[in-house]
Amino acid sequence: MNEIQEKCLGVLIEIDRVCKMAGIEYFIYSGTLLGAVRHGGFIPWDDDIDIVMMREQYDKFADACEVYLNKDDFQLQSIYTDPMTSNGWMKLHDKHTAFIDGGRRKGAMEGINVDIFPIDNAPDNDFILRQRGRVINKINYCYQYRFMKHDKNASLKWKLFYLCIGLIPPWDEMKFKIAYEKYIKKYNKKNTKRVVYFSNANYILKVVPKECFNKTEYVMFEGHKFPAPGNWKKVLEIRYGSNYMTPPPVKERVSQHGTEIIDLEHSWYEYQD
């Protein structure tokens, strides 16, 4: 592991501790799951960790952090704890680090962190699923740019875009975020056979059979055992294709996260000004 990965692992270990204390179920997912299966840990060129929770467990985790989280070293970020966030999902941050990408608004939490995504029900009807995917992808795009830092030197085209997305109701930021969260939970009252983990794009690619999560299987990740979906093979095949065990070409082995400042000894708070 490099130093960034080591810090990320520390955050995951804290999440695991809180979940065990509160009896909450979670799963490592996405590139983290792929790394566990293919590399026994981090994908060498990756610099983050993703986990998922069923929506009910996800909501309980926020409450559990109030009781069990080591608040001296970690801080939970959500639309309710960080009014400046541009993310629609939770993150747990290492309070003693800075991992600043330059696109977040001043005041947003930006430490080494782990992404925590909720899993929600998805429509079983393919036509409705595709239509919903198109809508959510567009809303996500607007959501991200609406709440990110706007470049004062942007072109006229971008300035007009910023203006237009600001006119999308509701105009109150918190009401907008809550309305979006309500929309993505729309199918949770229905007993569907498919689920989707919420992120900021590519909705259709993240839809998997609910039965993938019927059981839990523990996998090794950097010398620790963490929970994974019971049918993790199906999950990886849907997300990355049947040849997921084959690494991509060398030119594609790069981090997907642009970063302006990385500081593993000082908090993002020290960079606010």
Side-chain angles (χ1 to χ4, degrees):
M1 290 186 293
N2 62 41
E3 292 178 283
I4 296 173
Q5 293 170 338
E6 189 173 357
K7 289 287 187 181
C8 284
L9 179 61
V11 180
L12 178 58
I13 290 172
E14 174 65 7
I15 291 173
D16 184 74
R17 185 187 69 81
V18 170
C19 286
K20 286 177 179 175
M21 293 289 291
I24 292 172
E25 187 176 49
Y26 77 95
F27 307 94
I28 61 171
Y29 212 69
S30 195
T32 307
L33 177 58
L34 177 61
V37 173
R38 195 170 69 192
H39 302 276
F42 283 96
I43 296 174
W45 51 93
D46 201 4
D47 57 13
D48 76 342
I49 290 177
D50 298 320
I51 69 169
V52 295
M53 300 175 182
M54 294 297 179
R55 176 63 71 168
E56 182 182 1
Q57 302 291 301
Y58 179 87
D59 292 339
K60 287 181 180 179
F61 181 75
D63 295 330
C65 284
E66 290 295 321
V67 180
Y68 301 111
L69 185 68
N70 173 8
K71 297 183 179 67
D72 290 334
D73 297 324
F74 303 96
Q75 189 166 2
L76 184 68
Q77 180 185 43
S78 72
I79 62 173
Y80 302 103
T81 63
D82 184 358
M84 302 306 290
T85 183
S86 59
N87 302 312
W89 61 92
M90 293 193 295
K91 290 173 175 274
L92 190 67
H93 292 260
D94 181 326
K95 292 176 67 173
H96 308 297
T97 61
F99 198 70
I100 301 171
D101 72 3
R104 310 296 180 187
R105 293 180 297 181
K106 182 179 178 180
M109 299 179 192
E110 289 194 271
I112 297 291
N113 64 82
V114 168
D115 287 311
I116 307 168
F117 296 106
I119 297 178
D120 295 300
N121 288 350
D124 288 328
N125 182 283
D126 288 337
F127 176 78
I128 295 176
L129 182 71
R130 288 193 297 271
Q131 295 304 312
R132 181 170 172 80
R134 292 189 184 99
V135 172
I136 286 184
N137 285 346
K138 287 181 172 62
I139 295 178
N140 265 316
Y141 187 77
C142 292
Y143 186 110
Q144 290 286 302
Y145 279 99
R146 185 169 184 164
F147 304 128
M148 292 183 74
K149 182 171 67 178
H150 292 175
D151 184 1
K152 295 180 181 180
N153 299 316
S155 65
L156 178 60
K157 178 181 177 181
W158 274 102
K159 288 181 179 178
L160 288 174
F161 174 69
Y162 294 146
L163 176 63
C164 289
I165 61 174
L167 297 175
I168 300 174
W171 294 281
D172 178 272
E173 179 172 330
M174 195 61 188
K175 287 183 178 178
F176 183 98
K177 290 177 176 178
I178 291 174
Y180 180 58
E181 190 173 74
K182 182 179 179 181
Y183 180 74
I184 64 175
K185 295 191 293 183
K186 178 180 177 180
Y187 282 84
N188 286 355
K189 294 181 180 179
K190 300 181 180 182
N191 185 20
T192 66
K193 295 179 181 179
R194 297 190 284 200
V195 294
V196 59
Y197 87 89
F198 167 76
S199 186
N200 59 344
N202 300 322
Y203 179 91
I204 296 296
L205 296 178
K206 296 168 183 176
V207 175
V208 300
K210 186 183 292 185
E211 62 184 18
C212 289
F213 298 92
N214 284 350
K215 296 180 180 180
T216 299
E217 181 175 330
Y218 284 82
V219 296
M220 294 300 297
F221 184 87
E222 298 297 348
H224 301 263
K225 283 186 177 181
F226 293 109
N231 194 350
W232 53 262
K233 292 182 181 179
K234 184 70 172 178
V235 169
L236 292 177
E237 285 175 358
I238 292 173
R239 187 69 180 90
Y240 299 104
S242 59
N243 63 338
Y244 61 83
M245 289 300 289
T246 303
V250 175
K251 65 179 180 180
E252 296 179 16
R253 300 178 190 179
V254 295
S255 169
Q256 301 299 311
H257 306 91
T259 308
E260 195 172 81
I261 296 173
I262 299 174
D263 191 331
L264 304 184
E265 297 179 355
H266 302 90
S267 172
W268 69 88
Y269 286 112
E270 299 184 36
Y271 290 90
Q272 293 299 303
D273 297 321

